[in-house]
Amino acid sequence: MNKLRFGIIGVGMMGREHIRNLKLHPEAEIVALQDPVEDSRRRGIAQLGHEVPTYETIEDMLAKAELDCVLVVSPNHTHRRVLEPLFAAGLNILCEKPLCTTVDDARWAAERAATHTAVFWTGMEYRFMPPAARFIDAIRAGEVGRLVQLSIREHRFPFLVKVGDWNRFSRNTGGTMVEKCCHFFDLMRLIIGAEPVRVFCSGAMDVNHQDERYGGEKPDIIDNSFTVVDFANGARALLDLNMFAEGSEEQEALTAVGDKAKLEAFIPSGDLVRSPRVPLGAPKTPSRIHVPVDPTILEAGTHHGSTYYQIEAFIDAVRGRGPVRVTADDGLRAVAMGAAAERSARERRVVEMSEFGF
Ligand SMILES: NC(=O)c1ccc[n+]([C@@H]2O[C@H](COP(=O)([O-])OP(=O)(O)OC[C@H]3O[C@@H](n4cnc5c(N)ncnc54)[C@H](O)[C@@H]3O)[C@@H](O)[C@H]2O)c1
């Protein structure tokens, strides 16, 4: 079987993680790297371990390289501009989250993707972390009964330094609630199986980036927040984000409580704990399982193996062996929830999703 020829657009931190993971897939071959920054192109080749043509512009790459698939791993605010020629070229596209930085641009991408005949996939790695995937499957299989409350906690390290410091300003990222939290809003929709109705977010930049200045400008990105989301089926969800908790033993904790049981998943330990309801006073009967990740795959990234498993599913979709599991519409709705949370935090009020046309 011919290998699929991949081009990588944006060869920064995440682009190099994709290179490491594509190298592990027997059906993938990287044939082109595109990045306007020379140092990134050089580091991309070093990561790949052999020479392939590199391009400064997407137009040059599309004119010269023979490609089947592209991964869009450039900064968030470039996604719309980058996607336009890729759609026109009819390529299979995996675009990293967030789909775009604004609801308008994300809506444009979703509308364009609806008429795209090749695969379009929004990168949402958290769905593919093995413990998270098991958590999702267990809830789908009815292990908590009727899901009523979902809470997602991420307590992690501050935003890393990026090429050109693009991630310090909301105008480039969409704001933390879009940039980082679109992952968790996507998980909420997937797990609850319904659409959000309203969002309340309390958050601010209280600890990180206080002394940083870029061209004299101070960053404006939230570093901690609580977000409550009401869903159309009556379920409610909470996101607890903290980005100055790099010492946390568990970076992510997912908790679902239904009318039959509570289920928790912890990452990176990979433990899942199911605690069924018991009659008052009866012994508690929690059960714990461990969901392992292949060590080679774990080592190829910083996202608990998910980058590989998502690429594997993307390739299955391109080959016609599987569905597109994260659509452009999923990407749009995650951006819209993030935008609602950003607006809620800044205006200190409940934001209805109808304000964004949903
Ligand atoms: N899914 C995840 O968990 C995850 C994790 C990290 C980053 N990301 C996403 O990946 C993307 C890149 O993030 P990063 O952390 O690698 O940033 P980065 O700054 O490390 O790398 C971005 C690269 O894109 C290049 N670039 C800038 N403009 C470009 C353009 N117009 N065309 C092509 N390349 C361009 C930069 O020179 C740089 O090399 C972002 O959308 C980010 O949100 C996703």
Side-chain angles (χ1 to χ4, degrees), residues 286-315:
S287 54
R288 182 179 288 263
I289 61 163
H290 177 70
V291 181
V293 184
D294 179 306
T296 310
I297 290 172
L298 196 58
E299 242 181 54
T302 55
H303 297 92
H304 209 72
S306 59
T307 304
Y308 181 82
Y309 295 118
Q310 176 166 255
I311 281 290
E312 189 178 49
F314 173 73
I315 287 174

Side-chain angles (χ1 to χ4, degrees), residues 18-217:
H18 278 296
I19 291 174
R20 291 196 294 281
N21 282 277
L22 279 171
K23 281 170 69 177
L24 294 175
H25 199 291
E27 294 179 37
E29 177 186 16
I30 297 170
V31 299
L33 303 181
Q34 186 262 315
D35 197 300
V37 173
E38 210 240 319
D39 183 56
S40 293
R41 296 197 296 275
R42 189 186 51 73
R43 293 179 70 181
I45 292 293
Q47 185 75 83
L48 189 56
H50 61 87
E51 288 294 329
V52 294
T54 63
Y55 303 93
E56 275 184 55
T57 69
I58 205 157
E59 288 73 20
D60 196 26
M61 183 185 80
L62 290 176
K64 294 179 184 152
E66 292 205 15
L67 299 167
D68 302 302
C69 307
V70 280
L71 304 186
V72 176
V73 207
S74 55
N76 304 354
H77 60 299
T78 66
H79 288 182
R80 176 168 180 166
R81 190 158 26 90
V82 162
L83 285 173
E84 283 172 13
L86 300 180
F87 275 129
L91 292 167
N92 297 293
I93 304 168
L94 185 152
C95 178
E96 267 300 341
K97 53 52 60 178
L99 180 53
C100 291
T101 53
T102 66
V103 176
D104 283 350
D105 283 354
R107 191 167 267 131
W108 166 83
E111 283 169 5
R112 189 64 191 75
T115 59
H116 190 57
T117 47
V119 166
F120 186 93
W121 184 297
T122 308
M124 284 292 182
E125 276 77 0
Y126 281 67
R127 288 184 180 210
F128 296 88
M129 291 181 180
R134 179 69 74 89
F135 179 83
I136 295 163
D137 288 347
I139 294 166
R140 286 271 166 78
E143 286 195 21
V144 300
R146 180 174 59 84
L147 177 62
V148 178
Q149 277 184 305
L150 172 67
S151 111
I152 301 179
R153 186 181 80 213
E154 182 170 70
H155 282 188
R156 56 160 269 179
F157 50 91
F159 279 118
L160 299 173
V161 172
K162 300 288 166 183
V163 179
D165 302 310
W166 62 271
N167 66 345
R168 268 25 190 183
F169 296 99
S170 295
R171 60 178 174 271
N172 299 331
T173 64
T176 300
M177 304 312 295
V178 172
E179 143 72 2
K180 161 109 284 286
C181 301
C182 62
H183 279 299
F184 306 120
F185 295 136
D186 175 64
L187 280 182
M188 286 177 186
R189 288 184 57 249
L190 177 69
I191 293 168
I192 290 173
E195 296 301 339
V197 176
R198 66 187 64 81
V199 174
F200 178 68
C201 174
S202 171
M205 188 177 82
D206 288 318
V207 172
N208 297 341
H209 320 302
Q210 298 297 326
D211 301 326
E212 297 176 16
R213 295 292 181 276
Y214 302 91
E217 198 182 351

Side-chain angles (χ1 to χ4, degrees), residues 195-200 228-232 340 350-354:
E195 296 301 339
V197 176
R198 66 187 64 81
V199 174
F200 178 68
V228 174
V229 186
D230 284 340
F231 280 81
V350 173
V351 170
E352 299 287 331
M353 291 307 297
S354 57

Side-chain angles (χ1 to χ4, degrees), residues 341-355:
E342 283 284 331
R343 184 179 289 178
S344 173
R346 291 179 202 285
E347 299 182 8
R348 299 199 166 99
R349 66 179 178 89
V350 173
V351 170
E352 299 287 331
M353 291 307 297
S354 57
E355 294 179 33

